[in-house]
Each structure stands twice: as structure tokens, then as C-alpha cells.
Amino acid sequence: MQNNSGKEEKVSVLCIISLASIPLVMTLGNSMLIPVLPILEKKVDISSFQSSMIITSYSIAAILLIPVAGYLSDRFGRKIVILPSLILAFIGGLISAFASWKLDSPYFVIIIGRILQGIGAAGAMPIVMPLIGDLYKGDDEKTSASLGIIETSNTFGKVLSPILGAAFAAFLWFLPFFSISIFSLISILLVIFFVKSPKEKAPPVAFKDFVQRVKKTFKEEGKWLFVVFLNGIYVMLVLFGMLFFLSENLEKAHDIKGVKKGFVLAIPLLMLCIASFVTGRKIKGDLKAIKRMILISLVITSISIVFVGFLKENLIFLLVVTSIAGIALGALLPVLDAIITENIRKEERGTVTSFYSSARFIGVAAGPPIMSLLMKNNLNAFYIASCVLGIILLFLVIKFIDIQAIGQQAKANAK
């Protein structure tokens, strides 16, 4: 990062830790509820589909507002958007928690709280990626490594989520809602004290000019960006569909409940977390390595995911194939982050990455309700379709992600 005098400023470790706390908290805010959903269905007297909407309502709010947050962060600054968003997530958690605690029929108030959390997530987690790009402008290796840490924090949140969610619910079934607010408050304090956005001399771009520039970006690079967006949707669709299925299946088919279920759910997620961390450290902004990793990950995901439904009664083999899928999905996440963040102009980076984050939330929103509808009679249809989609994406990546053209355009943008 450079200051106004042009001198290089070192990005502190505490700054990166503070930024990494944001995806960690936002992930806990969603994924921590997955192991609790079967309990919530009984306590609130709702169906499996209704419980899936507790995840989906959060995600739909995020989908709709992430692009707005991206524009605001480009226009007014990253930190000034992140902090109010974290405060909204804090308030949303309290609303859901008090509704669960005090109301006889809390479902709709829980949904309202979840929508507020989703709005908070829209202005917090997606803004971290472009802020990392701002901090390490021109240093692809440090950007890739830091994005790897951010994505690892995200995936580590997914590892912790089932364990913490199940552990909290073992004391009080609605305690996970309260804990979301506590984690949000911690992240708020970290951001206030340790995150310093780079200061820019250039005045904000007028909205009309901004729109024209974003249109130009999508016109010039729309094909490969669209393919990356589709990959983001696919990763989250498969992951959250698989997690929703595992949470229900472990209880109904294997009688694994409570904290024990949380630890079992964490196994494939731990594999995802490790793969994300290692990949983020290895790619170092290398476009050839990024494309190669996308292709390898899609192949492995497509092959492994098709077996999940067939192995639902065999716990060991089920965990093996979901762990293999987790490794492939985990390797995909940081390379998708990197190819966007490192190859889009700073002026449009927040908006473009926000569209990508919004696309990812489409997968998060769609996975649980689709799985809840298919799980009883058409479980294998989900996983076979996921395999086919992975193969289609493989060919789209080969055809439309031209690393030479992307690299040339990135160099032109940097001038």
C-alpha cells in the first residue's frame, strides 16, 4: 500500500486478521445454523423447507444488496460501508435471538432478523476482497496470499460452524442466534481499531461515468467474468446443498446428533479449509496456475459428488467422497477470488467483486431449499445434476477463460 507521498506502507498483520474476521463472522452467521435446523424444526414446529428458508432469506437479502454495497464502497470507501453493515448484522442476530427466546411463534420474526443479517453481510464480506486488492495494489503475490487467508477464514468459519452451532444449541437451542451478534461485535471493534483504508487523492467518479466504466469492463471482459460467476454459484450450490443433506442424514440415517454431529459435519469442511489455504499460498497470481486449478477442481468435484447420494447409508464412504468434494471446492474458492481481484481496475473492483459475491450467494440461497425438496425421493438427481453442471463449466472455462488475453488486459488497466 502506498501513502500520499508515494512511499510504501506496510500492511499490518492485525489489519489482515481484522479483515479475515469479517468473512469468518458472516460465515458463522449462516453456516452455524445448519446443524441446528433439525432442532429448530421441532421447537418452532416448521417443515424442512421452512427451516431451509432461514438460510435462504439471509442469502436473498445479500444477493439483492451486494451490488449496491459494491458501488458505495467504490464511491465512498470500503471501511465506511463495512462498519454499518457489521452493525446491521449485530442487530439482526439480536432480533432473531430474542424472537426465538420470547415469542411463542417466532418464525417470521426470525426471518426478519435473518434478512437484516443478510443486508449486513452484503456490505461486509464482499467488500473485503476489493479492499485487499487496494492494500496490495500492484503486488499480485501478496494479494493472492492475503486473499487465500481471507478465503481460508471463510472456510475455517464453515469448519467451526457445525461444531459451535451444535455446542451452543446443546445448552439452549436459540443460543446460536445470540452468538452471531457477539461475534459481529468483536469484528466491529477489530475493524475500528486496526483497519486503515488506503488514502486516495483522486475524487470520487460521478455515477454516470462510473456506470459507463463498469459497462465497458463487462463488455471487454464479460465472457470470462460470466464463467467465473457461474463457477461461484456452482461451488456454493453444491456445498450448501451437501451440508444441508448431511445435517439431516446424520440424524435420520445414522442417529448422530448434537456436538458429535457437529464434529462429523466438520470433517469435509476441514478438508475444504486446508485446500483453500494451501491453494491461496501456491497460486501467487499466476494465471496459468489459476486456470489449471479451476479445471482440476471441477473434474474432481464432478467425479466425487455424483456418488454422495448412493452412499448415504455408508457413513465412512459418505465422509470420504464429501471430503474429496470439499478439497476440490476449497481449492476453487481462492483462485476464483484471485482471478477477479487481480485483473479488474481498482475503480470498478468493488462493484465487479460484489457481483461475483452476489452470484455466490445465489448458490447459498438455492442449495438448501432445492435439497429439502429433492431429499426424500430424488436425492440422486441433485448430485447427478451437479456432476453434469461441473462438466459443462469445465468446457466453458476451457473456451472462455483465455489467460493470455486476461493478462494483457490487466496490464493495460494498470497503465
Side-chain angles (χ1 to χ4, degrees):
M1 177 173 83
Q2 290 186 337
N3 60 22
N4 288 339
S5 64
K7 292 181 180 179
E8 191 76 15
E9 284 185 21
K10 187 177 179 181
V11 180
S12 72
V13 173
L14 284 173
C15 175
I16 298 301
I17 291 172
S18 301
L19 290 175
S21 76
I22 296 171
L24 175 63
V25 168
M26 294 299 106
T27 300
L28 288 173
N30 213 19
S31 302
M32 191 162 55
L33 298 177
I34 289 177
V36 186
L37 292 181
I39 300 172
L40 195 144
E41 289 166 20
K42 296 173 185 174
K43 295 288 184 180
V44 185
D45 192 24
I46 56 175
S47 67
S48 175
F49 180 79
Q50 284 177 303
S51 75
S52 74
M53 294 307 294
I54 290 174
I55 304 296
T56 298
S57 59
Y58 173 101
S59 304
I60 288 174
I63 290 165
L64 295 175
L65 289 172
I66 282 173
V68 176
Y71 165 70
L72 292 175
S73 79
D74 280 335
R75 182 74 169 77
F76 299 108
R78 315 297 187 202
K79 189 173 176 178
I80 204 169
V81 173
I82 288 172
L83 279 174
S85 300
L86 286 171
I87 292 168
L88 272 179
F90 169 79
I91 294 169
L94 288 181
I95 288 173
S96 294
F98 276 104
S100 304
W101 182 22
K102 294 293 186 181
L103 299 182
D104 293 330
S105 301
Y107 179 69
F108 289 106
V109 181
I110 290 173
I111 293 294
I112 290 169
R114 294 291 292 161
I115 290 170
L116 273 179
Q117 280 184 274
I119 295 170
M125 187 160 63
I127 311 303
V128 174
M129 283 171 54
L131 180 50
I132 289 291
D134 297 348
L135 293 170
Y136 292 113
K137 186 177 180 181
D139 193 330
D140 288 350
E141 186 171 338
K142 286 183 179 178
T143 300
S144 293
S146 296
L147 285 171
I149 292 170
I150 297 302
E151 198 59 76
T152 300
S153 177
N154 185 359
T155 54
F156 184 59
K158 290 180 174 64
V159 176
L160 285 178
S161 291
I163 299 170
L164 289 179
F168 290 150
F171 288 100
L172 287 171
W173 70 269
F174 52 81
L175 192 57
F177 290 119
F178 276 112
S179 66
I180 291 166
S181 291
I182 293 170
F183 291 137
S184 296
L185 182 59
I186 293 169
S187 193
I188 288 166
L189 295 174
L190 287 172
V191 171
I192 288 172
F193 289 110
F194 299 116
V195 175
K196 295 180 179 179
S197 298
K199 295 176 181 178
E200 298 291 338
K201 291 181 180 179
V205 179
F207 181 72
K208 184 178 178 182
D209 295 335
F210 172 82
V211 170
Q212 292 302 318
R213 281 159 60 163
V214 171
K215 282 183 180 178
K216 183 182 177 184
T217 297
F218 277 98
K219 185 176 180 180
E220 291 172 349
E221 310 186 64
K223 288 181 180 178
W224 72 263
L225 281 174
F226 183 64
V227 173
V228 171
F229 289 1
L230 287 177
N231 274 274
I233 296 171
Y234 176 75
V235 170
M236 292 302 166
L237 176 71
V238 171
L239 178 61
F240 275 80
M242 185 172 74
L243 289 176
F244 187 85
F245 157 70
L246 282 175
S247 180
E248 297 274 343
N249 181 257
L250 288 175
E251 290 203 10
K252 293 176 180 176
H254 303 284
D255 197 30
I256 298 174
K257 300 177 181 178
V259 178
K260 184 179 179 182
K261 184 180 83 169
F263 276 100
V264 175
L265 270 174
I267 293 171
L269 291 169
L270 178 62
M271 298 298 103
L272 182 142
C273 180
I274 293 170
S276 184
F277 177 75
V278 172
T279 305
R281 302 284 292 181
K282 293 292 184 182
I283 54 173
K284 298 180 179 179
D286 183 344
L287 280 170
K288 287 185 180 179
I290 286 172
K291 183 172 181 178
R292 184 165 59 247
M293 185 54 66
I294 294 173
L295 294 174
I296 292 170
S297 298
L298 286 172
V299 169
I300 295 173
T301 302
S302 300
I303 292 172
S304 58
I305 202 70
V306 75
F307 292 104
V308 173
F310 295 104
L311 297 171
K312 63 180 181 179
E313 303 295 336
N314 189 314
L315 182 60
I316 300 300
F317 284 111
L318 179 62
L319 290 175
V320 168
V321 294
T322 53
S323 295
I324 292 170
I327 290 169
L329 295 171
L332 256 177
L333 289 170
V335 296
L336 295 175
D337 293 348
I339 196 172
I340 290 182
T341 306
E342 295 165 18
N343 296 284
I344 297 296
R345 283 184 294 266
K346 178 190 176 298
E347 293 78 10
E348 293 89 45
R349 188 181 292 146
T351 300
V352 174
T353 56
S354 72
F355 276 113
Y356 167 64
S357 297
S358 188
R360 279 173 53 155
F361 269 105
I362 293 172
V364 177
I370 290 174
M371 181 55 73
S372 71
L373 294 172
L374 295 178
M375 205 158 43
K376 290 182 179 178
N377 301 313
N378 298 289
L379 175 64
N380 289 327
F382 178 88
Y383 292 113
I384 292 170
S386 297
C387 172
V388 173
L389 286 173
I391 294 169
I392 292 171
L393 284 172
L394 185 72
F395 286 106
L396 290 176
V397 170
I398 292 169
K399 183 171 177 59
F400 292 113
I401 296 186
D402 184 339
I403 56 174
Q404 187 174 356
I406 294 170
Q408 289 173 351
Q409 187 63 50
K411 288 178 182 177
N413 292 340
K415 292 180 180 178

